[in-house]
Amino acid sequence: TSNKRTLRTLFRPAALPPPVISETSPSQKKLLAYRRGKERQEMINQLLIDRALEVCYITVDETDKRDAVPPITEVPSTVRKHFFIILNYLFLKKCVRSNPVVPIQQQWLRSMLAMVPQSLMEGRDRELLTEELLKEIVRDYEKSMRRCVLRRALVKPDIKELDKLEEEAPLLLLPLSLDFSSMWHNSYIKAKKQIISALHILHPTMKTLLDFGYTAFFNFLVVDFSSSRLKGPVDCKSFKTDASLSCSKAEDEIMSMWYQRVIGLFAQSEALDGVKLDQLESFYNCVAVLMSNQLKELLRRTTEVFVKLFDPEDRSRLPLFKMDLTFDENRMEFYPSLQDLEEAILFVVDCIGQTLQNVQTIRAWLTGGTATLDAELPAHTIQWAKSTLKKSIRDNLEGPKEHFKGYVESYGWLVDGTAEERISRFVAEQLSFDEYT
């Protein structure tokens, strides 16, 4: 016990003098703040150094393993050189990123919302979703701005070890069409003059021609069977006849109204105002293409409306067809057959495609030529219409096929000779009266 007391006495710390409290001058405060900031920066630099060294050592280690070279204890000079370059780049990158970014304009966000249909923004859940989307847009904008500033302010060193420190994907290249590094006004004026002189679609006559087509074809269909169901069942022959008459009547109406208005427009000298003599051919070619597009659009829209009538999921306007269940030569079958029914329906598509195929071009009408407008439906449109109709017809005929199958199974033995054979066999047998009974 005495030895312990002696040891405590020997190792007892000397009494510290009382602290001296003195006031700190402003210059001393600045010095202290500078020292604290310097110490903090040194800590950050040390962390960056540790991370860079870790990457360098990992890279060296992987290289050693790949090349099967004995491990080295000294860091190569190239690694030390890369280390200081990486350290300097990361420090400058942090400084650039710390700069403030110009916020996104609220007018841009309002313009984005104005392009969204109102029906998609109704409801509390959708309002919250819209708010989250706007926040995501703001985040992406700020991120892109920071990365763009960084890309313009710093040049990334071509060091593969640095890629392991980069956590973000590479920046997208700037659009090449937005290069305003050289004078552009003269080239813009030149291009504008060339467009005005060569692009005839900007001519006032073309605008009038567009108005004629919109007025004539807006609610017009070459064939309209949307009310066919209200008229009751129709046989296939009458269906094909109605389609042919409707197409012929529609063509006459278009030629007597729309085409006559177009001819009246080009019969006036004002229609060619500003068109030079050497530009007449290209001008009339533009007119022909515009008229062809209007006729093709009319035929395409008519075909789509007709195909939609046979949609199995919406049978409210599905046409009704009259079919007979016949018995001939000991066979029961539908008349007309299911193949004939499919042919009658597909006939309408061909009838629509053959309409308005002999319309003269304006150039031919003025000069007495025989050239006609290209109003033929594209092959892919006809192929789509027929394949869709065939599938719809098969789906809609499942019911009649099942009815026919059940009818044959129930009563077919009465007409296919089975019943007559059973009767003959029964009569030929030698049976008693009670057995016959």
Side-chain angles (χ1 to χ4, degrees):
T1 304
S2 61
N3 291 336
K4 289 181 181 180
R5 290 175 181 174
T6 305
L7 289 174
R8 289 195 188 99
T9 305
L10 290 174
F11 290 97
R12 182 180 299 164
L16 297 175
V20 180
I21 301 175
S22 61
E23 296 184 357
T24 306
S25 62
S27 59
Q28 291 176 339
K29 290 182 178 180
K30 293 182 180 179
L31 182 60
L32 290 174
Y34 171 76
R35 288 179 177 175
R36 294 193 189 98
K38 188 175 181 180
E39 291 175 357
R40 188 181 302 109
Q41 187 62 43
E42 288 178 355
M43 293 176 63
I44 295 174
N45 291 342
Q46 187 61 40
L47 291 175
L48 294 175
I49 290 172
D50 294 341
R51 178 57 179 160
L53 282 174
E54 180 183 354
V55 173
C56 291
Y57 282 122
I58 291 174
T59 305
V60 172
D61 185 54
E62 292 177 351
T63 305
D64 294 341
K65 290 180 180 179
R66 184 176 63 251
D67 299 336
V69 178
I72 57 177
T73 57
E74 183 181 357
V75 179
S77 59
T78 55
V79 175
R80 291 198 301 268
K81 181 180 177 181
H82 289 172
F83 157 69
F84 288 110
I85 295 175
I86 293 173
L87 178 63
N88 185 40
Y89 173 76
L90 294 176
F91 176 73
L92 294 176
K93 180 179 178 181
K94 180 181 179 182
C95 294
V96 174
R97 277 188 167 182
S98 62
N99 291 331
V101 178
V102 179
I104 190 172
Q105 298 184 21
Q106 295 299 318
Q107 182 181 357
W108 297 354
L109 298 177
R110 288 194 294 268
S111 299
M112 294 177 191
L113 290 178
M115 292 187 289
V116 181
Q118 189 63 30
S119 58
L120 299 179
M121 300 176 61
E122 297 176 354
R124 185 174 180 276
D125 295 338
R126 294 183 178 180
E127 290 179 358
L128 295 176
L129 177 61
T130 303
E131 185 178 352
E132 291 297 327
L133 290 176
L134 290 180
K135 291 180 180 179
E136 183 178 350
I137 291 173
V138 172
R139 289 194 301 268
D140 290 344
Y141 168 81
E142 293 179 352
K143 180 180 179 181
S144 300
M145 289 296 294
R146 293 183 186 277
R147 296 177 67 185
C148 183
V149 172
L150 178 65
R151 187 171 183 264
R152 290 186 175 276
L154 291 178
V155 177
K156 183 179 177 180
D158 188 13
I159 302 175
K160 63 180 182 179
E161 290 84 1
L162 184 59
D163 296 334
K164 299 181 180 180
L165 297 174
E166 296 287 337
E167 298 178 355
E168 56 190 18
L171 286 170
L172 297 176
L173 296 176
L174 292 177
L176 299 179
S177 59
L178 300 180
D179 184 12
F180 296 108
S181 58
S182 60
M183 298 300 292
W184 57 270
H185 187 263
N186 293 335
S187 60
Y188 166 76
I189 297 298
K190 181 181 178 180
K192 182 178 179 181
K193 290 180 179 179
Q194 186 176 1
I195 287 174
I196 294 176
S197 62
L199 194 60
H200 300 297
I201 195 63
L202 301 178
H203 196 277
T205 302
M206 301 297 178
K207 179 180 180 301
T208 306
L209 187 59
L210 281 171
D211 293 339
F212 287 170
Y214 181 80
T215 304
F217 305 142
F218 176 66
N219 286 324
F220 188 81
L221 294 175
V222 176
V223 173
D224 187 8
F225 284 107
S226 58
S227 59
S228 174
R229 190 178 184 86
L230 301 177
K231 299 177 183 179
V234 61
D235 58 85
C236 293
K237 185 177 180 180
S238 299
F239 188 75
K240 296 169 66 175
T241 303
D242 291 344
S244 299
L245 292 176
S246 179
C247 290
S248 178
K249 182 180 177 180
E251 184 171 350
D252 293 340
E253 185 177 350
I254 290 173
M255 296 300 294
S256 62
M257 295 182 61
W258 171 75
Y259 192 68
Q260 291 300 322
R261 292 186 67 183
V262 174
I263 290 177
L265 172 65
F266 285 94
Q268 304 173 5
S269 60
E270 294 83 359
L272 300 177
D273 285 347
V275 181
K276 298 179 182 180
L277 187 61
D278 59 344
Q279 297 177 340
L280 282 178
E281 185 176 357
S282 62
F283 180 79
Y284 282 118
N285 288 338
C286 183
V287 172
V289 171
L290 179 57
M291 295 175 66
S292 297
N293 290 341
Q294 290 177 328
L295 295 179
K296 286 181 180 180
E297 175 63 21
L298 172 64
L299 299 181
R300 183 197 63 80
R301 184 162 45 85
T302 302
T303 303
E304 289 183 353
V305 172
F306 177 73
V307 172
K308 195 174 182 179
L309 292 178
F310 295 85
D311 187 1
E313 297 181 359
D314 182 13
R315 303 189 179 186
S316 59
R317 295 183 297 175
L318 186 67
L320 298 176
F321 290 90
K322 185 187 299 181
M323 302 186 71
D324 298 327
L325 185 61
T326 62
F327 171 69
D328 187 18
E329 297 180 357
N330 295 334
R331 291 179 56 190
M332 282 193 301
E333 59 185 4
F334 280 121
Y335 179 80
S337 64
L338 302 181
Q339 290 76 13
D340 294 338
L341 176 62
E342 180 179 302
E343 180 187 353
I345 295 174
L346 297 181
F347 169 81
V348 179
V349 177
D350 295 330
C351 191
I352 295 173
Q354 295 170 4
T355 309
L356 299 169
Q357 299 303 307
N358 297 314
V359 181
Q360 264 188 318
T361 63
I362 298 300
R363 181 75 167 177
W365 181 85
L366 293 174
T367 60
T370 58
T372 58
L373 295 174
D374 177 21
E376 185 178 0
L377 276 174
H380 66 84
T381 301
I382 299 177
Q383 181 180 1
W384 165 81
K386 290 188 175 182
S387 61
T388 305
L389 282 175
K390 288 180 180 180
K391 183 179 183 305
S392 300
I393 293 171
R394 288 195 300 267
D395 295 341
N396 284 305
L397 288 180
E398 288 298 326
K401 287 181 179 179
E402 291 296 328
H403 174 74
F404 177 76
K405 183 179 179 181
Y407 207 96
V408 172
E409 291 177 352
S410 299
Y411 307 104
W413 65 278
L414 293 174
V415 295
D416 63 1
T418 303
E420 185 176 356
E421 182 183 355
R422 289 174 60 184
I423 293 173
S424 299
R425 186 172 61 252
F426 179 74
V427 172
E429 294 176 350
Q430 298 296 328
L431 304 175
S432 63
F433 179 79
D434 292 334
E435 291 174 333
Y436 277 125
T437 305

